[in-house]
Amino acid sequence: MRAPRSVLKQQFLKKWMMGLQVFGSAKQSMSILERKKAIKLSADIALASTRAGRTCWSRTIIADASKDDDGKVLVQHLLSPESERLKKASTGLAMENKRVRCKKILKRSCCIKRVRKGASKVVLAKSISKRIVKRRTQVLKSLVPGGEFMDDISLIEETLDYMVSLRAQVDVMRRSLAKATEVVNGK
Amino acid sequence: MINRALLPAGGGENMLHCTDMTVLERQRARIKWQQEQQQQFQLQQQEISYFTELADVFHQAGVHEGGLSEVVTRSVKPDPGLVDNGWNNDHVVGYGVGLPYNNGLGFELNYGAISRTSSCPPEAVAAVAEATVKGSESVVSDMISSGAGRESSKKRKVDKIQNNSKVVAEEDTRDKRIKGCAEQGESKITEKNNNKNSRNNNTNKNNNSNKENSDETSKDNSKVSEVQKPDYIHVRARRGQATDSHSLAERVRREKISERMKYLQDLVPGCDKITGKAGMLDEIINYVQSLQRQVEFLSMKLAAANPRLDFNVDNLFAKEAFPACSINFPTIGMSSDMTNPAYLQFNPAQQQLVACCGLDMGIDPPDMALKRTTSAPVSIPETFLDSSCFTQTHPPPTWDADLQNLYNVAFDQGRQTSFQTQPFTGDVKLSCLFLSALY
């Protein structure tokens, strides 16, 4: 089980470093927060590129990142071999998401909630729990990038994959931080 | 395969003790027992190998990737002895590429989304269903092209099944055929999955309606199983349950969701005892939030530790583990603060930090702001604020940059000054923060 996890991590690390080099060469002095943004952005894009094209969240991240200049440079740099296809997929995704979102808004506006009178306790409890679940799925959708446009089933799958990738990302970043502080302390 | 040979024997023994049951019921019980065993075994295997394949999957994608709008799904296992009795509703989709695994169990996971390997029929079913939504033609063409490839493997498995099926010959098949259709309205690959299918009177009707469930009457408790074919998953109504197509589809959907929830349960730490969607969702949300916050925090720390964005990453994955990573964090944070005094400038107008940091970590911003503003001298280099928050659910501490937030808030008057921070420790309770501020 170790091997594929570290494969993922190594891939991520490599791409992350590539992305950071783009920044490193570009600007000389950056404020701490700019650096932080750069680090995080390159980490996110690197993470998304490890799953490039195959998961909705990765496509969403790439699509969002491509909207501004920094991100675009990074995306091109990191994903140059597959960038063409990905860009098309990302733009297509954006359009489709808008369509889905509009439909959902329309549906919601037309739907009339019927109030049940004299509902039994069991039914009431069920409806309450349903509401809770629905609210929490909405929160989850807001957390997972690109989650608002998916149905429940694919949402859960995306969450699975996203969680695994996030864990790998955290792990790699933590280790590199430890390394960096070691180096600094050693000096 | 060995397991399966053993199972009937073992199961049969138990069952034979009850002389009250009729032969039919006994067999049914035995099959259920079998099924459970297999399921447990399968699940274990899947849990173990889930992550192995999660990454593998993506490396082997090359063959089957078309211009699909795909959703990555879980690890995929090759289609083992097609659903030994065509029962289980779970199918792990197999590649036509010939992965090395073959656990010989007939359980597969049913995916609701398209996976890359559209060669796998259950996936393909879902893929087909999805195709109507997403309109990707290549799914269909892939399916068709790879359908041929799978023929041979299926025939092999059908033979195996035939051998085994004699044991359960009296049982009806539990087929689940969801009639999906490709957008281009074809892919009428209707293979006979098991010999049991032949015993059924079901014929695969090709129509272009999504998710039309066939309404078989069943005498026995039938569960749902998936057929190894691209188009149809017939759902059989359970005994004593409504048989209209809506509730059947609902049930299928619910089962899919609960199955995926189980995987999430394995992934999220500390979720063994939580049953029910609401609780699980809560845990999942907390976990994802904490991971995201950790990323934020770590990137901030990295920015603080490394003024020039150069990282030396040799030996990053050397086998000196970082076992007490969580424990070392405070000390590391402190030391980095001490040794990087002069490099860090502070940009006060940082709305995004404020926005992205955590919600409620127990510090009152106005108070802190007051403290800062009153006691802050001018133009002293500032080091990075450290804050760690130990949540009860997760062993590694959750870091967030809330205090950084506060700094921002405090110096938001547009001052470009930088301040040196000094270490002092607050008490570390469950939701306590580690401060280091030097004036």
Side-chain angles (χ1 to χ4, degrees):
Chain A
M1 177 156 74
R2 273 293 151 194
R5 259 194 208 167
S6 53
V7 163
L8 171 67
K9 286 183 197 169
Q10 274 160 12
Q11 268 191 344
F12 164 67
L13 182 67
K14 204 172 52 161
K15 298 206 167 177
W16 186 29
M17 289 300 129
M18 275 168 55
L20 281 179
Q21 277 165 10
V22 168
F23 277 108
S25 58
K27 304 176 188 175
Q28 280 317 305
S29 63
M30 298 163 67
S31 75
I32 178 174
L33 285 146
E34 283 181 24
R35 283 206 300 277
K36 177 243 179 190
K37 255 203 308 181
I39 290 176
K40 179 158 193 295
L41 185 64
S42 45
D44 285 342
I45 295 186
L47 192 69
S49 66
T50 61
R51 292 272 191 266
R54 297 173 214 129
T55 50
C56 190
W57 63 267
S58 61
R59 287 199 298 270
T60 316
I61 289 182
I62 293 176
D64 288 341
S66 311
K67 285 182 193 158
D68 54 69
D69 308 330
D70 280 347
K72 227 184 275 186
V73 171
L74 267 184
V75 170
Q76 281 169 357
H77 192 79
L78 286 179
L79 297 165
S80 34
E82 326 141 7
S83 64
E84 287 316 308
R85 185 169 55 85
L86 273 180
K87 275 188 209 158
K88 287 185 199 153
S90 313
T91 48
L93 182 81
M95 299 306 295
E96 184 190 320
N97 288 343
K98 282 190 195 151
R99 220 181 308 142
V100 171
R101 196 168 23 183
C102 293
K103 278 192 195 159
K104 281 191 179 171
I105 294 175
L106 197 61
K107 219 196 299 183
R108 234 175 269 161
S109 61
C110 296
C111 161
I112 306 173
K113 291 242 152 105
R114 265 178 264 135
V115 179
R116 289 165 155 251
K117 297 190 179 167
S120 69
K121 283 189 183 167
V122 173
V123 175
L124 191 62
K126 275 191 192 170
S127 63
I128 289 178
S129 70
K130 273 194 201 162
R131 235 178 291 152
I132 292 180
V133 167
K134 214 181 273 190
R135 209 171 299 152
R136 290 193 181 155
T137 25
Q138 280 186 354
V139 175
L140 189 60
K141 282 183 181 181
S142 69
L143 278 183
V144 175
E148 302 100 21
F149 316 113
M150 295 188 279
D151 57 333
D152 280 350
I153 299 176
S154 13
L155 178 69
I156 296 184
E157 292 175 4
E158 288 285 315
T159 312
L160 265 177
D161 194 65
Y162 186 54
M163 266 206 294
V164 171
S165 318
L166 266 186
R167 261 220 284 228
Q169 186 183 21
V170 165
D171 209 7
V172 168
M173 288 177 85
R174 194 178 281 169
R175 289 196 191 188
S176 62
L177 178 67
K179 272 287 173 180
T181 49
E182 262 181 40
V183 167
V184 167
N185 291 344
K187 285 185 199 163
Chain B
M1 304 316 289
I2 301 176
N3 287 337
R4 290 170 37 133
L6 287 178
L7 277 174
E13 277 179 316
N14 292 341
M15 297 306 139
L16 284 174
H17 291 312
C18 321
T19 51
D20 298 335
M21 300 160 68
T22 67
V23 171
L24 191 64
E25 289 173 2
R26 219 180 295 152
Q27 277 202 334
R28 205 184 309 150
R30 181 174 35 155
I31 286 158
K32 264 193 221 161
W33 183 87
Q34 256 184 9
Q35 195 174 355
E36 284 166 35
Q37 296 294 315
Q38 288 177 347
Q39 196 161 21
Q40 280 175 17
F41 182 77
Q42 177 81 2
L43 278 181
Q44 283 169 18
Q45 275 208 337
Q46 281 171 353
E47 287 160 18
I48 292 171
S49 53
Y50 173 64
F51 293 114
T52 49
E53 291 167 315
L54 197 55
D56 284 347
V57 155
F58 307 129
H59 299 307
Q60 302 176 12
V63 181
H64 294 283
E65 228 168 348
L68 301 174
S69 57
E70 295 145 328
V71 175
V72 147
T73 59
R74 287 164 291 180
S75 67
V76 193
K77 286 190 190 162
D79 161 21
L82 281 188
V83 194
D84 54 332
N85 14 21
W87 275 348
N88 203 352
N89 35 345
D90 297 343
H91 287 265
V92 177
V93 182
Y95 289 92
V97 191
L99 285 174
Y101 307 87
N102 190 353
N103 52 13
L105 296 177
F107 284 67
E108 294 170 323
L109 289 171
N110 187 10
Y111 285 81
I114 306 178
S115 113
R116 281 168 311 177
T117 60
S118 50
S119 60
C120 311
E123 294 287 272
V125 175
V128 165
E130 293 270 348
T132 59
V133 175
K134 300 189 179 174
S136 60
E137 319 178 33
S138 46
V139 176
V140 177
S141 52
D142 276 1
M143 262 174 7
I144 298 179
S145 62
S146 53
R150 291 186 60 74
E151 289 280 351
S152 50
S153 59
K154 287 213 189 120
K155 286 194 183 132
R156 210 178 357 107
K157 284 158 189 168
V158 169
D159 290 341
K160 264 189 284 189
I161 292 167
Q162 277 174 348
N163 292 338
N164 289 323
S165 65
K166 302 227 171 95
V167 176
V168 293
E170 289 78 27
E171 295 299 323
D172 60 332
T173 67
R174 304 157 185 209
D175 297 326
K176 168 167 118 184
R177 286 170 254 155
I178 297 176
K179 290 180 192 167
C181 66
E183 184 157 40
Q184 287 27 2
E186 53 342 1
S187 160
K188 321 278 167 98
I189 308 171
T190 65
E191 304 171 353
K192 295 275 174 160
N193 173 20
N194 301 330
N195 54 345
K196 293 190 202 67
N197 283 346
S198 58
R199 281 192 282 108
N200 276 349
N201 299 335
N202 303 329
T203 56
N204 292 334
K205 297 177 188 123
N206 297 340
N207 38 4
N208 289 341
S209 60
N210 258 345
K211 283 228 171 185
E212 189 183 324
N213 295 318
S214 65
D215 230 8
E216 322 283 340
T217 60
S218 62
K219 312 178 286 187
D220 322 293
N221 286 342
S222 29
K223 289 195 187 163
V224 182
S225 71
E226 192 166 359
V227 167
Q228 284 308 307
K229 65 172 58 158
D231 268 348
Y232 301 102
I233 299 179
H234 291 277
V235 186
R236 177 158 296 180
R238 281 193 225 220
R239 184 191 185 121
Q241 288 196 2
T243 56
D244 61 326
S245 60
H246 287 297
S247 48
L248 276 178
E250 266 272 330
R251 182 150 56 85
V252 163
R253 178 179 165 270
R254 256 181 285 143
E255 282 170 358
K256 278 191 207 169
I257 287 184
S258 64
E259 174 202 323
R260 282 155 176 77
M261 284 293 214
K262 273 189 238 154
Y263 279 95
L264 279 175
Q265 208 167 18
D266 302 327
L267 204 54
V268 178
C271 272
D272 323 325
K273 297 153 195 145
I274 300 185
T275 54
K277 257 199 266 185
M280 271 304 304
L281 276 176
D282 203 28
E283 291 296 321
I284 293 168
I285 288 174
N286 284 339
Y287 191 52
V288 170
Q289 267 178 349
S290 79
L291 282 178
Q292 282 176 341
R293 269 187 242 139
Q294 279 188 50
V295 168
E296 292 276 339
F297 194 74
L298 282 173
S299 59
M300 177 54 94
K301 291 212 69 166
L302 277 168
N306 224 314
R308 286 177 321 266
L309 279 188
D310 52 354
F311 292 90
N312 179 14
V313 287
D314 319 327
N315 295 337
L316 200 63
F317 291 106
K319 279 324 167 191
E320 15 109 299
F322 296 90
C325 236
S326 48
I327 306 175
N328 287 339
F329 245 110
T331 50
I332 289 179
M334 303 281 281
S335 53
S336 78
D337 286 344
M338 301 312 290
T339 55
N340 293 329
Y343 297 145
L344 309 176
Q345 294 290 320
F346 195 55
N347 189 352
Q350 293 312 319
Q351 301 308 320
Q352 60 262 35
L353 244 202
V354 177
C356 69
C357 281
L359 319 166
D360 39 348
M361 285 306 170
I363 279 213
D364 197 4
D367 293 344
M368 296 302 294
L370 270 181
K371 280 191 214 157
R372 295 280 181 265
T373 46
T374 50
S375 56
V378 182
S379 70
I380 301 179
E382 170 248 16
T383 51
F384 181 55
L385 266 187
D386 221 352
S387 66
S388 78
C389 183
F390 295 94
T391 59
Q392 46 221 41
T393 50
H394 311 297
T398 304
W399 298 90
D400 63 3
D402 253 350
L403 288 184
Q404 190 68 40
N405 247 357
L406 303 174
Y407 248 169
N408 295 335
V409 169
F411 305 130
D412 208 2
Q413 276 73 28
R415 282 184 283 171
Q416 275 288 346
T417 52
S418 45
F419 295 83
Q420 197 174 21
T421 61
Q422 112 189 352
F424 70 88
T425 62
D427 44 299
V428 179
K429 289 183 298 183
L430 269 186
S431 54
C432 232
L433 302 174
F434 233 31
L435 287 183
S436 46
L438 184 70
Y439 290 101

